[in-house]
Amino acid sequence: MAERSNVGRLYKSTVIGVPYLWLLVFFLVPFLIVLKISFSTTAIAQPPYLPVFDFAWSSIVDGVKEFVPDNYGFLLDDPLYIDAYLSSLRIAFVSTLLALLVGYPFAYGMAKAPAGLRPILLMMTILPFWTSFLIRVYAWIGILKNEGLLNQFLLWTGLISAPLTILNTETAIYIGIVYSYLPFMVLPIYASLERMDGRLIEAANDLGCPPVKAFWKITFPLSLPGVLAGAFLVFIPAVGEFVIPDLLGGSETLMIGKTLWDEFFSNRDWPVASAVAVILLLVLVIPIVFFQRAQAKVDR
């Protein structure tokens, strides 16, 4: 009996410990390395910063004394970085809202579809992931450019008399982000709607509640966990997106992902780029932590 209990404890510890070990190795350690680089100074060396991975406490203290005016303070003084943060948050917020407007009806239709049809709809939702993300973004260039499929179709139908300029605009970025991250919005909402007890709607209808009112009073509130999960899954990666703004938004697009790329690979300023990444992480993580605490208080 004692041996079985020990085996059970070991199994439980392993199940709990493996995810924490994964986070420690692949999140916390890389974050500490980036944080340490953000305390460093730029140098003509390989790698291009000093000191290099010296984790002595004295060097960290010296770094803290020096990093404010050199790295983090520099970000606050240069409006380029503040504008990049604000622009990224705005584009990510609008993209998340558009993904919700498109994804919720799709998820609702999947949940209400016949049981035999749901696996097919689910497969169609995840089917784009079978193709390379880069290839899918490049495909939108062929669709949105002036001589692309979309303009050719609109000209053929007579809806427009001259090609629309969509590529290299924010509109193209919104299209690319919504298309690329739409499954992350659809799947959590579908999971919430599919678990919902349909008898609640039947009871509301029997009591004379109109379908629209029943949706806003019953269906939507019960699907909020899926909506919030989908919003986080779209918003967080969209803030730091680099490929879509670079390929579809053009050189005039200002987003923090492109700014990070320029600092790392064009300017070779790894300490400033690391400071940008640290602040971006804090901007995303701190509100989520406060939200989760507030949600936990509400659930209690």
Side-chain angles (χ1 to χ4, degrees):
M1 198 73 176
E3 291 182 2
R4 187 176 299 176
S5 177
N6 292 333
V7 171
R9 278 199 218 97
L10 179 62
Y11 176 76
K12 188 181 296 184
S13 300
T14 303
V15 171
I16 296 174
V18 169
Y20 280 104
L21 180 63
W22 179 276
L23 289 175
L24 175 67
V25 174
F26 294 102
F27 175 76
L28 185 59
V29 172
F31 173 74
L32 291 176
I33 293 174
V34 172
L35 183 64
K36 178 60 173 62
I37 295 174
S38 71
F39 291 168
S40 305
T41 55
T42 306
I44 302 176
Q46 187 66 30
Y49 59 89
L50 293 173
V52 181
F53 300 116
D54 180 7
F55 285 96
W57 176 251
S58 60
S59 68
I60 294 178
V61 172
D62 293 338
V64 170
K65 292 178 181 177
E66 297 177 359
F67 82 92
V68 174
D70 291 340
N71 295 333
Y72 292 85
F74 175 73
L75 300 183
L76 299 177
D77 292 335
D78 193 337
L80 170 68
Y81 300 100
I82 297 176
D83 292 342
Y85 281 118
L86 295 177
S87 176
S88 297
L89 292 172
R90 176 178 56 82
I91 291 175
F93 176 78
V94 174
S95 300
T96 303
L97 185 60
L98 293 174
L100 177 60
L101 293 176
V102 175
Y104 197 100
F106 190 82
Y108 186 83
M110 288 174 58
K112 296 299 180 181
L117 189 59
R118 291 178 191 175
I120 298 175
L121 296 175
L122 190 62
M123 186 191 69
M124 291 175 62
T125 304
I126 64 175
L127 191 62
F129 287 109
W130 296 5
T131 308
S132 168
F133 173 76
L134 193 60
I135 293 176
R136 285 185 280 135
V137 176
Y138 267 114
W140 277 104
I141 297 177
I143 296 172
L144 299 177
K145 65 183 181 180
N146 289 351
E147 304 82 16
L149 296 176
L150 178 60
N151 274 312
Q152 293 298 321
F153 175 76
L154 294 176
L155 289 170
W156 176 72
T157 57
L159 295 175
I160 59 174
S161 57
L164 299 175
T165 302
I166 304 176
L167 194 63
N168 298 329
T169 64
E170 279 195 9
T171 302
I173 297 176
Y174 293 137
I175 293 173
I177 292 177
V178 171
Y179 166 76
S180 300
Y181 294 108
L182 186 61
F184 295 111
M185 180 66 75
V186 171
L187 295 177
I189 297 175
Y190 167 72
S192 295
L193 291 172
E194 206 234 350
R195 288 196 303 265
M196 191 180 71
D197 190 348
R199 291 175 296 180
L200 296 173
I201 302 298
E202 294 177 2
N205 293 333
D206 291 340
L207 294 173
C209 183
V212 175
K213 188 175 181 180
F215 172 81
W216 289 111
K217 290 289 186 179
I218 300 174
T219 304
F220 188 75
L222 291 177
S223 66
L224 271 180
V227 171
L228 294 175
F232 282 134
L233 290 173
V234 174
F235 180 81
I236 292 174
V239 171
E241 181 59 54
F242 164 73
V243 174
I244 294 173
D246 187 57
L247 295 180
L248 301 182
S251 59
E252 298 299 322
T253 303
L254 185 62
M255 287 190 72
I256 201 64
K258 291 186 65 177
T259 304
L260 269 172
W261 174 274
D262 291 337
E263 290 295 342
F264 266 116
F265 298 103
S266 298
N267 300 337
R268 299 276 294 172
D269 195 341
W270 287 23
V272 169
S274 299
V276 172
V278 170
I279 291 179
L280 177 61
L281 182 64
L282 294 177
V283 167
L284 293 174
V285 169
I286 291 177
I288 293 174
V289 171
F290 280 111
F291 172 80
Q292 288 180 335
R293 287 186 177 181
Q295 191 69 23
K297 291 180 180 179
V298 172
D299 293 338
R300 290 174 187 172

PDB file of all heavy atoms in Angstrom, residues 205-240:
ATOM      1  N   ASN A 205     -36.479  29.725 -24.529  1.00  0.00           N
ATOM      2  CA  ASN A 205     -37.494  29.846 -25.586  1.00  0.00           C
ATOM      3  C   ASN A 205     -38.884  29.469 -25.058  1.00  0.00           C
ATOM      4  O   ASN A 205     -39.882  30.114 -25.401  1.00  0.00           O
ATOM      5  CB  ASN A 205     -37.123  28.964 -26.780  1.00  0.00           C
ATOM      6  CG  ASN A 205     -35.870  29.448 -27.480  1.00  0.00           C
ATOM      7  OD1 ASN A 205     -35.549  30.632 -27.441  1.00  0.00           O
ATOM      8  ND2 ASN A 205     -35.162  28.539 -28.136  1.00  0.00           N
ATOM      9  N   ASP A 206     -38.943  28.449 -24.216  1.00  0.00           N
ATOM     10  CA  ASP A 206     -40.227  28.049 -23.659  1.00  0.00           C
ATOM     11  C   ASP A 206     -40.816  29.132 -22.762  1.00  0.00           C
ATOM     12  O   ASP A 206     -42.045  29.259 -22.640  1.00  0.00           O
ATOM     13  CB  ASP A 206     -40.072  26.763 -22.860  1.00  0.00           C
ATOM     14  CG  ASP A 206     -39.765  25.565 -23.757  1.00  0.00           C
ATOM     15  OD1 ASP A 206     -40.044  25.662 -24.969  1.00  0.00           O
ATOM     16  OD2 ASP A 206     -39.234  24.560 -23.253  1.00  0.00           O
ATOM     17  N   LEU A 207     -39.930  29.922 -22.133  1.00  0.00           N
ATOM     18  CA  LEU A 207     -40.391  30.997 -21.259  1.00  0.00           C
ATOM     19  C   LEU A 207     -40.664  32.294 -22.009  1.00  0.00           C
ATOM     20  O   LEU A 207     -40.931  33.326 -21.398  1.00  0.00           O
ATOM     21  CB  LEU A 207     -39.356  31.244 -20.154  1.00  0.00           C
ATOM     22  CG  LEU A 207     -39.173  30.091 -19.153  1.00  0.00           C
ATOM     23  CD1 LEU A 207     -38.014  30.364 -18.223  1.00  0.00           C
ATOM     24  CD2 LEU A 207     -40.460  29.878 -18.355  1.00  0.00           C
ATOM     25  N   GLY A 208     -40.565  32.237 -23.347  1.00  0.00           N
ATOM     26  CA  GLY A 208     -40.900  33.402 -24.155  1.00  0.00           C
ATOM     27  C   GLY A 208     -39.763  34.353 -24.432  1.00  0.00           C
ATOM     28  O   GLY A 208     -39.999  35.476 -24.891  1.00  0.00           O
ATOM     29  N   CYS A 209     -38.534  33.923 -24.186  1.00  0.00           N
ATOM     30  CA  CYS A 209     -37.370  34.791 -24.449  1.00  0.00           C
ATOM     31  C   CYS A 209     -37.062  34.772 -25.944  1.00  0.00           C
ATOM     32  O   CYS A 209     -36.888  33.701 -26.531  1.00  0.00           O
ATOM     33  CB  CYS A 209     -36.170  34.306 -23.652  1.00  0.00           C
ATOM     34  SG  CYS A 209     -34.705  35.345 -23.836  1.00  0.00           S
ATOM     35  N   PRO A 210     -36.957  35.928 -26.607  1.00  0.00           N
ATOM     36  CA  PRO A 210     -36.612  35.958 -28.033  1.00  0.00           C
ATOM     37  C   PRO A 210     -35.226  35.382 -28.268  1.00  0.00           C
ATOM     38  O   PRO A 210     -34.356  35.450 -27.387  1.00  0.00           O
ATOM     39  CB  PRO A 210     -36.661  37.457 -28.385  1.00  0.00           C
ATOM     40  CG  PRO A 210     -37.478  38.082 -27.309  1.00  0.00           C
ATOM     41  CD  PRO A 210     -37.233  37.279 -26.079  1.00  0.00           C
ATOM     42  N   PRO A 211     -34.971  34.809 -29.450  1.00  0.00           N
ATOM     43  CA  PRO A 211     -33.664  34.190 -29.723  1.00  0.00           C
ATOM     44  C   PRO A 211     -32.485  35.143 -29.547  1.00  0.00           C
ATOM     45  O   PRO A 211     -31.439  34.745 -29.022  1.00  0.00           O
ATOM     46  CB  PRO A 211     -33.800  33.720 -31.181  1.00  0.00           C
ATOM     47  CG  PRO A 211     -35.260  33.538 -31.389  1.00  0.00           C
ATOM     48  CD  PRO A 211     -35.930  34.584 -30.550  1.00  0.00           C
ATOM     49  N   VAL A 212     -32.662  36.407 -30.000  1.00  0.00           N
ATOM     50  CA  VAL A 212     -31.551  37.358 -29.882  1.00  0.00           C
ATOM     51  C   VAL A 212     -31.242  37.643 -28.415  1.00  0.00           C
ATOM     52  O   VAL A 212     -30.078  37.659 -27.983  1.00  0.00           O
ATOM     53  CB  VAL A 212     -31.881  38.670 -30.626  1.00  0.00           C
ATOM     54  CG1 VAL A 212     -30.786  39.705 -30.402  1.00  0.00           C
ATOM     55  CG2 VAL A 212     -32.057  38.403 -32.118  1.00  0.00           C
ATOM     56  N   LYS A 213     -32.287  37.844 -27.624  1.00  0.00           N
ATOM     57  CA  LYS A 213     -32.082  38.100 -26.197  1.00  0.00           C
ATOM     58  C   LYS A 213     -31.503  36.882 -25.495  1.00  0.00           C
ATOM     59  O   LYS A 213     -30.648  36.994 -24.600  1.00  0.00           O
ATOM     60  CB  LYS A 213     -33.409  38.500 -25.559  1.00  0.00           C
ATOM     61  CG  LYS A 213     -33.269  38.982 -24.129  1.00  0.00           C
ATOM     62  CD  LYS A 213     -34.603  39.480 -23.584  1.00  0.00           C
ATOM     63  CE  LYS A 213     -34.442  39.989 -22.150  1.00  0.00           C
ATOM     64  NZ  LYS A 213     -35.734  40.480 -21.608  1.00  0.00           N
ATOM     65  N   ALA A 214     -31.946  35.688 -25.891  1.00  0.00           N
ATOM     66  CA  ALA A 214     -31.402  34.460 -25.302  1.00  0.00           C
ATOM     67  C   ALA A 214     -29.919  34.322 -25.609  1.00  0.00           C
ATOM     68  O   ALA A 214     -29.140  33.850 -24.767  1.00  0.00           O
ATOM     69  CB  ALA A 214     -32.171  33.245 -25.824  1.00  0.00           C
ATOM     70  N   PHE A 215     -29.527  34.747 -26.825  1.00  0.00           N
ATOM     71  CA  PHE A 215     -28.103  34.676 -27.175  1.00  0.00           C
ATOM     72  C   PHE A 215     -27.277  35.564 -26.257  1.00  0.00           C
ATOM     73  O   PHE A 215     -26.239  35.140 -25.728  1.00  0.00           O
ATOM     74  CB  PHE A 215     -27.915  35.098 -28.637  1.00  0.00           C
ATOM     75  CG  PHE A 215     -26.472  35.239 -29.040  1.00  0.00           C
ATOM     76  CD1 PHE A 215     -25.730  34.129 -29.383  1.00  0.00           C
ATOM     77  CD2 PHE A 215     -25.856  36.486 -29.064  1.00  0.00           C
ATOM     78  CE1 PHE A 215     -24.398  34.248 -29.740  1.00  0.00           C
ATOM     79  CE2 PHE A 215     -24.532  36.619 -29.426  1.00  0.00           C
ATOM     80  CZ  PHE A 215     -23.796  35.493 -29.763  1.00  0.00           C
ATOM     81  N   TRP A 216     -27.706  36.827 -26.055  1.00  0.00           N
ATOM     82  CA  TRP A 216     -26.920  37.769 -25.260  1.00  0.00           C
ATOM     83  C   TRP A 216     -27.017  37.482 -23.762  1.00  0.00           C
ATOM     84  O   TRP A 216     -26.100  37.843 -23.006  1.00  0.00           O
ATOM     85  CB  TRP A 216     -27.362  39.203 -25.539  1.00  0.00           C
ATOM     86  CG  TRP A 216     -26.955  39.679 -26.895  1.00  0.00           C
ATOM     87  CD1 TRP A 216     -27.762  39.947 -27.957  1.00  0.00           C
ATOM     88  CD2 TRP A 216     -25.616  39.930 -27.343  1.00  0.00           C
ATOM     89  NE1 TRP A 216     -27.019  40.340 -29.039  1.00  0.00           N
ATOM     90  CE2 TRP A 216     -25.697  40.339 -28.688  1.00  0.00           C
ATOM     91  CE3 TRP A 216     -24.365  39.834 -26.743  1.00  0.00           C
ATOM     92  CZ2 TRP A 216     -24.570  40.670 -29.434  1.00  0.00           C
ATOM     93  CZ3 TRP A 216     -23.238  40.168 -27.489  1.00  0.00           C
ATOM     94  CH2 TRP A 216     -23.352  40.573 -28.816  1.00  0.00           C
ATOM     95  N   LYS A 217     -28.106  36.847 -23.327  1.00  0.00           N
ATOM     96  CA  LYS A 217     -28.270  36.566 -21.909  1.00  0.00           C
ATOM     97  C   LYS A 217     -27.678  35.222 -21.491  1.00  0.00           C
ATOM     98  O   LYS A 217     -27.277  35.047 -20.341  1.00  0.00           O
ATOM     99  CB  LYS A 217     -29.763  36.577 -21.546  1.00  0.00           C
ATOM    100  CG  LYS A 217     -30.418  37.943 -21.590  1.00  0.00           C
ATOM    101  CD  LYS A 217     -29.932  38.839 -20.445  1.00  0.00           C
ATOM    102  CE  LYS A 217     -30.699  40.151 -20.410  1.00  0.00           C
ATOM    103  NZ  LYS A 217     -30.261  41.014 -19.281  1.00  0.00           N
ATOM    104  N   ILE A 218     -27.606  34.262 -22.429  1.00  0.00           N
ATOM    105  CA  ILE A 218     -27.182  32.912 -22.068  1.00  0.00           C
ATOM    106  C   ILE A 218     -25.941  32.483 -22.850  1.00  0.00           C
ATOM    107  O   ILE A 218     -24.899  32.183 -22.273  1.00  0.00           O
ATOM    108  CB  ILE A 218     -28.330  31.901 -22.300  1.00  0.00           C
ATOM    109  CG1 ILE A 218     -29.537  32.276 -21.438  1.00  0.00           C
ATOM    110  CG2 ILE A 218     -27.860  30.481 -21.983  1.00  0.00           C
ATOM    111  CD1 ILE A 218     -30.750  31.438 -21.711  1.00  0.00           C
ATOM    112  N   THR A 219     -26.069  32.461 -24.190  1.00  0.00           N
ATOM    113  CA  THR A 219     -24.995  31.888 -25.015  1.00  0.00           C
ATOM    114  C   THR A 219     -23.700  32.671 -24.891  1.00  0.00           C
ATOM    115  O   THR A 219     -22.628  32.097 -24.623  1.00  0.00           O
ATOM    116  CB  THR A 219     -25.437  31.841 -26.490  1.00  0.00           C
ATOM    117  OG1 THR A 219     -26.658  31.101 -26.600  1.00  0.00           O
ATOM    118  CG2 THR A 219     -24.369  31.184 -27.345  1.00  0.00           C
ATOM    119  N   PHE A 220     -23.773  33.978 -25.104  1.00  0.00           N
ATOM    120  CA  PHE A 220     -22.540  34.766 -25.086  1.00  0.00           C
ATOM    121  C   PHE A 220     -21.858  34.770 -23.721  1.00  0.00           C
ATOM    122  O   PHE A 220     -20.626  34.575 -23.649  1.00  0.00           O
ATOM    123  CB  PHE A 220     -22.816  36.194 -25.556  1.00  0.00           C
ATOM    124  CG  PHE A 220     -21.569  37.009 -25.750  1.00  0.00           C
ATOM    125  CD1 PHE A 220     -20.754  36.807 -26.854  1.00  0.00           C
ATOM    126  CD2 PHE A 220     -21.187  37.958 -24.807  1.00  0.00           C
ATOM    127  CE1 PHE A 220     -19.592  37.537 -27.026  1.00  0.00           C
ATOM    128  CE2 PHE A 220     -20.031  38.697 -24.980  1.00  0.00           C
ATOM    129  CZ  PHE A 220     -19.233  38.486 -26.090  1.00  0.00           C
ATOM    130  N   PRO A 221     -22.569  34.985 -22.603  1.00  0.00           N
ATOM    131  CA  PRO A 221     -21.883  34.917 -21.311  1.00  0.00           C
ATOM    132  C   PRO A 221     -21.210  33.573 -21.039  1.00  0.00           C
ATOM    133  O   PRO A 221     -20.111  33.521 -20.482  1.00  0.00           O
ATOM    134  CB  PRO A 221     -23.014  35.183 -20.300  1.00  0.00           C
ATOM    135  CG  PRO A 221     -23.997  35.989 -21.051  1.00  0.00           C
ATOM    136  CD  PRO A 221     -23.972  35.435 -22.444  1.00  0.00           C
ATOM    137  N   LEU A 222     -21.867  32.470 -21.443  1.00  0.00           N
ATOM    138  CA  LEU A 222     -21.268  31.151 -21.221  1.00  0.00           C
ATOM    139  C   LEU A 222     -20.057  30.902 -22.118  1.00  0.00           C
ATOM    140  O   LEU A 222     -19.216  30.058 -21.797  1.00  0.00           O
ATOM    141  CB  LEU A 222     -22.314  30.058 -21.441  1.00  0.00           C
ATOM    142  CG  LEU A 222     -23.436  29.978 -20.402  1.00  0.00           C
ATOM    143  CD1 LEU A 222     -24.446  28.910 -20.785  1.00  0.00           C
ATOM    144  CD2 LEU A 222     -22.872  29.714 -19.010  1.00  0.00           C
ATOM    145  N   SER A 223     -19.965  31.618 -23.241  1.00  0.00           N
ATOM    146  CA  SER A 223     -18.830  31.453 -24.148  1.00  0.00           C
ATOM    147  C   SER A 223     -17.703  32.430 -23.855  1.00  0.00           C
ATOM    148  O   SER A 223     -16.681  32.404 -24.552  1.00  0.00           O
ATOM    149  CB  SER A 223     -19.289  31.625 -25.600  1.00  0.00           C
ATOM    150  OG  SER A 223     -19.720  32.960 -25.841  1.00  0.00           O
ATOM    151  N   LEU A 224     -17.863  33.295 -22.849  1.00  0.00           N
ATOM    152  CA  LEU A 224     -16.834  34.298 -22.553  1.00  0.00           C
ATOM    153  C   LEU A 224     -15.457  33.700 -22.253  1.00  0.00           C
ATOM    154  O   LEU A 224     -14.444  34.265 -22.669  1.00  0.00           O
ATOM    155  CB  LEU A 224     -17.282  35.184 -21.394  1.00  0.00           C
ATOM    156  CG  LEU A 224     -18.086  36.433 -21.770  1.00  0.00           C
ATOM    157  CD1 LEU A 224     -18.463  37.222 -20.532  1.00  0.00           C
ATOM    158  CD2 LEU A 224     -17.285  37.309 -22.739  1.00  0.00           C
ATOM    159  N   PRO A 225     -15.357  32.568 -21.516  1.00  0.00           N
ATOM    160  CA  PRO A 225     -14.013  31.988 -21.332  1.00  0.00           C
ATOM    161  C   PRO A 225     -13.309  31.680 -22.653  1.00  0.00           C
ATOM    162  O   PRO A 225     -12.109  31.927 -22.797  1.00  0.00           O
ATOM    163  CB  PRO A 225     -14.296  30.711 -20.536  1.00  0.00           C
ATOM    164  CG  PRO A 225     -15.556  30.996 -19.807  1.00  0.00           C
ATOM    165  CD  PRO A 225     -16.371  31.831 -20.739  1.00  0.00           C
ATOM    166  N   GLY A 226     -14.043  31.157 -23.622  1.00  0.00           N
ATOM    167  CA  GLY A 226     -13.453  30.905 -24.936  1.00  0.00           C
ATOM    168  C   GLY A 226     -13.107  32.181 -25.663  1.00  0.00           C
ATOM    169  O   GLY A 226     -12.067  32.257 -26.342  1.00  0.00           O
ATOM    170  N   VAL A 227     -13.941  33.209 -25.539  1.00  0.00           N
ATOM    171  CA  VAL A 227     -13.664  34.500 -26.177  1.00  0.00           C
ATOM    172  C   VAL A 227     -12.396  35.111 -25.612  1.00  0.00           C
ATOM    173  O   VAL A 227     -11.524  35.595 -26.353  1.00  0.00           O
ATOM    174  CB  VAL A 227     -14.864  35.454 -25.993  1.00  0.00           C
ATOM    175  CG1 VAL A 227     -14.500  36.871 -26.455  1.00  0.00           C
ATOM    176  CG2 VAL A 227     -16.071  34.952 -26.764  1.00  0.00           C
ATOM    177  N   LEU A 228     -12.258  35.081 -24.286  1.00  0.00           N
ATOM    178  CA  LEU A 228     -11.071  35.658 -23.655  1.00  0.00           C
ATOM    179  C   LEU A 228      -9.817  34.867 -24.019  1.00  0.00           C
ATOM    180  O   LEU A 228      -8.761  35.449 -24.294  1.00  0.00           O
ATOM    181  CB  LEU A 228     -11.265  35.694 -22.136  1.00  0.00           C
ATOM    182  CG  LEU A 228     -12.357  36.630 -21.627  1.00  0.00           C
ATOM    183  CD1 LEU A 228     -12.535  36.487 -20.124  1.00  0.00           C
ATOM    184  CD2 LEU A 228     -12.045  38.077 -21.986  1.00  0.00           C
ATOM    185  N   ALA A 229      -9.931  33.536 -24.025  1.00  0.00           N
ATOM    186  CA  ALA A 229      -8.777  32.713 -24.407  1.00  0.00           C
ATOM    187  C   ALA A 229      -8.370  32.998 -25.854  1.00  0.00           C
ATOM    188  O   ALA A 229      -7.176  33.156 -26.157  1.00  0.00           O
ATOM    189  CB  ALA A 229      -9.105  31.239 -24.224  1.00  0.00           C
ATOM    190  N   GLY A 230      -9.346  33.076 -26.752  1.00  0.00           N
ATOM    191  CA  GLY A 230      -9.035  33.382 -28.146  1.00  0.00           C
ATOM    192  C   GLY A 230      -8.449  34.761 -28.313  1.00  0.00           C
ATOM    193  O   GLY A 230      -7.522  34.962 -29.115  1.00  0.00           O
ATOM    194  N   ALA A 231      -8.969  35.736 -27.556  1.00  0.00           N
ATOM    195  CA  ALA A 231      -8.442  37.102 -27.647  1.00  0.00           C
ATOM    196  C   ALA A 231      -6.982  37.144 -27.215  1.00  0.00           C
ATOM    197  O   ALA A 231      -6.147  37.798 -27.865  1.00  0.00           O
ATOM    198  CB  ALA A 231      -9.280  38.042 -26.790  1.00  0.00           C
ATOM    199  N   PHE A 232      -6.637  36.445 -26.139  1.00  0.00           N
ATOM    200  CA  PHE A 232      -5.243  36.410 -25.702  1.00  0.00           C
ATOM    201  C   PHE A 232      -4.360  35.712 -26.729  1.00  0.00           C
ATOM    202  O   PHE A 232      -3.238  36.154 -27.014  1.00  0.00           O
ATOM    203  CB  PHE A 232      -5.126  35.705 -24.351  1.00  0.00           C
ATOM    204  CG  PHE A 232      -5.526  36.551 -23.182  1.00  0.00           C
ATOM    205  CD1 PHE A 232      -6.360  36.050 -22.198  1.00  0.00           C
ATOM    206  CD2 PHE A 232      -5.084  37.860 -23.058  1.00  0.00           C
ATOM    207  CE1 PHE A 232      -6.739  36.833 -21.122  1.00  0.00           C
ATOM    208  CE2 PHE A 232      -5.454  38.656 -21.984  1.00  0.00           C
ATOM    209  CZ  PHE A 232      -6.292  38.141 -21.013  1.00  0.00           C
ATOM    210  N   LEU A 233      -4.858  34.593 -27.295  1.00  0.00           N
ATOM    211  CA  LEU A 233      -4.061  33.837 -28.259  1.00  0.00           C
ATOM    212  C   LEU A 233      -3.814  34.615 -29.551  1.00  0.00           C
ATOM    213  O   LEU A 233      -2.839  34.344 -30.261  1.00  0.00           O
ATOM    214  CB  LEU A 233      -4.762  32.513 -28.576  1.00  0.00           C
ATOM    215  CG  LEU A 233      -4.780  31.473 -27.460  1.00  0.00           C
ATOM    216  CD1 LEU A 233      -5.642  30.281 -27.851  1.00  0.00           C
ATOM    217  CD2 LEU A 233      -3.366  31.018 -27.120  1.00  0.00           C
ATOM    218  N   VAL A 234      -4.680  35.559 -29.871  1.00  0.00           N
ATOM    219  CA  VAL A 234      -4.483  36.387 -31.066  1.00  0.00           C
ATOM    220  C   VAL A 234      -3.695  37.640 -30.731  1.00  0.00           C
ATOM    221  O   VAL A 234      -2.758  38.012 -31.441  1.00  0.00           O
ATOM    222  CB  VAL A 234      -5.839  36.756 -31.699  1.00  0.00           C
ATOM    223  CG1 VAL A 234      -5.643  37.743 -32.850  1.00  0.00           C
ATOM    224  CG2 VAL A 234      -6.547  35.507 -32.205  1.00  0.00           C
ATOM    225  N   PHE A 235      -4.069  38.306 -29.637  1.00  0.00           N
ATOM    226  CA  PHE A 235      -3.484  39.605 -29.316  1.00  0.00           C
ATOM    227  C   PHE A 235      -1.999  39.507 -28.991  1.00  0.00           C
ATOM    228  O   PHE A 235      -1.187  40.303 -29.496  1.00  0.00           O
ATOM    229  CB  PHE A 235      -4.234  40.225 -28.135  1.00  0.00           C
ATOM    230  CG  PHE A 235      -3.713  41.571 -27.722  1.00  0.00           C
ATOM    231  CD1 PHE A 235      -4.093  42.715 -28.404  1.00  0.00           C
ATOM    232  CD2 PHE A 235      -2.839  41.695 -26.657  1.00  0.00           C
ATOM    233  CE1 PHE A 235      -3.612  43.960 -28.038  1.00  0.00           C
ATOM    234  CE2 PHE A 235      -2.352  42.929 -26.274  1.00  0.00           C
ATOM    235  CZ  PHE A 235      -2.738  44.071 -26.965  1.00  0.00           C
ATOM    236  N   ILE A 236      -1.615  38.528 -28.181  1.00  0.00           N
ATOM    237  CA  ILE A 236      -0.228  38.459 -27.708  1.00  0.00           C
ATOM    238  C   ILE A 236       0.755  38.248 -28.857  1.00  0.00           C
ATOM    239  O   ILE A 236       1.732  38.999 -28.992  1.00  0.00           O
ATOM    240  CB  ILE A 236      -0.087  37.370 -26.628  1.00  0.00           C
ATOM    241  CG1 ILE A 236      -0.840  37.806 -25.364  1.00  0.00           C
ATOM    242  CG2 ILE A 236       1.370  37.103 -26.305  1.00  0.00           C
ATOM    243  CD1 ILE A 236      -0.902  36.755 -24.287  1.00  0.00           C
ATOM    244  N   PRO A 237       0.566  37.246 -29.735  1.00  0.00           N
ATOM    245  CA  PRO A 237       1.523  37.120 -30.842  1.00  0.00           C
ATOM    246  C   PRO A 237       1.411  38.242 -31.863  1.00  0.00           C
ATOM    247  O   PRO A 237       2.392  38.579 -32.526  1.00  0.00           O
ATOM    248  CB  PRO A 237       1.181  35.767 -31.468  1.00  0.00           C
ATOM    249  CG  PRO A 237      -0.229  35.507 -31.089  1.00  0.00           C
ATOM    250  CD  PRO A 237      -0.411  36.134 -29.742  1.00  0.00           C
ATOM    251  N   ALA A 238       0.215  38.847 -31.997  1.00  0.00           N
ATOM    252  CA  ALA A 238       0.053  39.922 -32.975  1.00  0.00           C
ATOM    253  C   ALA A 238       0.859  41.158 -32.586  1.00  0.00           C
ATOM    254  O   ALA A 238       1.347  41.886 -33.462  1.00  0.00           O
ATOM    255  CB  ALA A 238      -1.422  40.291 -33.129  1.00  0.00           C
ATOM    256  N   VAL A 239       1.019  41.410 -31.281  1.00  0.00           N
ATOM    257  CA  VAL A 239       1.786  42.580 -30.842  1.00  0.00           C
ATOM    258  C   VAL A 239       3.228  42.489 -31.327  1.00  0.00           C
ATOM    259  O   VAL A 239       3.808  43.471 -31.788  1.00  0.00           O
ATOM    260  CB  VAL A 239       1.735  42.712 -29.306  1.00  0.00           C
ATOM    261  CG1 VAL A 239       2.700  43.791 -28.819  1.00  0.00           C
ATOM    262  CG2 VAL A 239       0.329  43.048 -28.847  1.00  0.00           C
ATOM    263  N   GLY A 240       3.818  41.319 -31.212  1.00  0.00           N
ATOM    264  CA  GLY A 240       5.217  41.156 -31.622  1.00  0.00           C
ATOM    265  C   GLY A 240       5.401  40.620 -33.023  1.00  0.00           C
ATOM    266  O   GLY A 240       6.515  40.204 -33.375  1.00  0.00           O
TER     267      GLY A 240
END
